[in-house]
Amino acid sequence: MADIFEISELAKEYAQLIRASRQKQMQLDRDTIAHVLGLLHDTLDALQEDIRSIPRGILAERFQRDLERSISRHVTTFGERFKASLDGGIEAAALNVSEREADLLRRLSLVRTQIHPEHSLHVAAGAAQIGVEFGRVQAEVLDRLYARVYPDGLKLSQRLYNLDRDARRSIADTLFSGVAQGQSARKLAEALRPLLTAPGVENVRYKAMRIARTEINSAYREGHIASVTDENGKLKPWVEAIGWRLSPAHPRTDICDAWAGDDTEGLGAGNYSSGNVPPGHPHCLCYTVTLLASLPDQQFVSHPPKPDDVPESQRKYYGQPKPDPPAQSDS
Ligand SMILES: [Zn+2]
């Protein structure tokens, strides 16, 4: 770790920490997505193997019952493995961002002249606590993500339940109608691919990946919030605000531009107190940063938002009204 003696160098260091940690996060996102895709291929293989090997006697009913059992077993296995992979990704993302904040805090504790001298003791105490904090942050993030209700009214556990239910239904519908039409085992087996692993359609693959990406990136933000707040949800003394920042991969103007441009609290564009950080949306890759009390001018914006271009329908859906235009002066 570099010795830092001037506060001005800290901003540069933190920008680098953010960049490195975001790169790690993107890798984690890719790894988890690849792992989930592997689980889906395993599920497809297992189902196809059963379709080929289950004896198809004279009684269609019996064949159907055996297929039902096979679907149930393999979808349940997929659901369990998917959840394990998701939870592992969530914990890894929370750890990644809490390490980023721990590095920032360690550097902050090395700064020679604090702009706010009264923070020095807090910073030193915080730096001494770093090791204890990691486990707490991971557990807290898992709790928060499972407790959160998204704007569509669903919690993560309900989303996982729906994924399982939809997978069972679509597989059973496809197989049973194929059986009724007298399709060959080979044809039945082939019909499952578009439902499970084919890209570019709204199938199990798409839904599972959306959940994984959304939650793992949500964990990165929640892990940050948990790292810079105390047990009562209050920001730690050296933290001025939490900044919502757009991902450079942000494809087009959406509700995130409103969140990254909002200044309702008067803390600067996109900056929030701990309880007011926006929830994110499906596929959201935005991240949050610490605004340090000792670096009031450093905003760590790499991708400026366009809040005026956000479609009204999205503002409504996320309950984010357009701010009033500035009052006309009569000079
Ligand atoms: Zn976003």
Side-chain angles (χ1 to χ4, degrees):
M1 181 170 33
D3 288 337
I4 300 158
F5 298 103
E6 299 307 330
I7 191 83
S8 58
E9 299 194 27
L10 189 64
K12 240 186 293 165
E13 292 269 335
Y14 188 41
Q16 271 166 20
L17 288 175
I18 293 170
R19 212 171 306 127
S21 151
R22 291 273 304 143
Q23 270 163 16
K24 204 168 163 188
Q25 180 68 16
M26 292 295 115
Q27 189 58 48
L28 183 62
D29 176 291
R30 284 192 291 273
D31 290 348
T32 309
I33 297 276
H35 186 244
V36 171
L37 188 57
L39 295 180
L40 282 168
H41 278 288
D42 291 349
T43 309
L44 177 64
D45 288 348
L47 282 164
Q48 290 182 328
E49 179 56 36
D50 280 2
I51 291 169
R52 285 188 206 103
S53 62
I54 293 172
R56 194 169 176 175
I58 319 161
L59 291 173
E61 266 171 48
R62 170 143 182 214
F63 183 51
Q64 190 154 320
R65 222 174 30 240
D66 288 346
L67 283 179
E68 239 166 82
R69 224 171 276 143
S70 160
I71 296 167
S72 178
R73 185 168 69 241
H74 297 309
V75 172
T76 300
T77 303
F78 169 75
E80 287 165 1
R81 290 184 182 159
F82 177 59
K83 187 175 183 302
S85 178
L86 183 66
D87 289 357
I90 288 170
E91 287 183 325
L95 180 64
N96 177 26
V97 73
S98 58
E99 281 171 346
R100 182 192 85 179
E101 292 303 306
D103 280 345
L104 173 66
L105 188 56
R106 280 193 203 99
R107 283 163 166 78
L108 186 61
S109 70
L110 293 177
V111 168
R112 185 159 48 188
T113 348
Q114 296 280 352
I115 290 183
H116 300 279
E118 73 275 18
H119 290 166
S120 295
L121 280 178
H122 294 297
V123 168
Q129 278 283 315
I130 282 170
V132 186
E133 290 275 280
F134 289 142
R136 173 188 71 86
V137 167
Q138 287 179 306
E140 206 174 306
V141 169
L142 267 178
D143 283 353
R144 283 192 201 190
L145 292 195
Y146 278 95
R148 155 168 298 171
V149 181
Y150 275 98
D152 65 0
L154 290 185
K155 284 185 178 182
L156 176 53
S157 50
Q158 291 165 307
R159 222 176 280 289
L160 295 176
Y161 173 84
N162 290 354
L163 178 73
D164 181 294
R165 184 200 56 198
D166 294 350
R168 273 167 215 261
R169 265 192 207 153
S170 64
I171 295 168
D173 287 353
T174 300
L175 290 184
F176 298 164
S177 74
V179 170
Q181 291 163 29
Q183 283 177 2
S184 67
R186 192 194 150 104
K187 201 145 187 221
L188 290 176
E190 263 316 299
L192 295 185
R193 195 179 299 278
L195 306 179
L196 287 171
T197 57
V201 273
E202 212 180 314
N203 53 8
V204 181
R205 170 193 166 121
Y206 176 83
K207 289 175 195 163
M209 289 188 173
R210 180 174 56 189
I211 293 172
R213 162 157 292 171
T214 304
E215 297 303 329
I216 283 168
N217 287 289
S218 209
Y220 187 77
R221 293 190 301 266
E222 288 294 340
H224 174 220
I225 297 169
S227 300
V228 295
T229 47
D230 64 19
E231 59 278 10
N232 301 315
K234 252 186 75 185
L235 286 176
K236 295 196 169 157
W238 58 89
V239 181
E240 187 70 31
I242 294 168
W244 182 279
R245 299 295 179 259
L246 295 182
S247 156
H250 193 63
R252 57 183 168 274
T253 306
D254 66 14
I255 189 65
C256 298
D257 286 78
W259 290 331
D262 180 273
D263 190 16
T264 312
E265 294 188 79
L267 296 166
N271 299 340
Y272 298 88
S273 58
S274 61
N276 292 328
V277 181
H281 61 82
H283 290 303
C284 186
L285 294 175
C286 294
Y287 59 100
T288 52
V289 299
T290 296
L291 283 313
L292 286 169
S294 7
L295 286 170
D297 299 328
Q298 289 295 332
Q299 293 293 307
F300 306 104
V301 178
S302 66
H303 194 83
K306 298 186 188 126
D308 293 339
D309 297 350
V310 177
E312 202 45 46
S313 57
Q314 285 195 26
R315 282 191 177 269
K316 249 196 201 127
Y317 183 75
Y318 287 99
Q320 177 82 23
K322 214 168 183 142
D324 293 331
Q328 298 268 324
S329 72
D330 46 358
S331 61

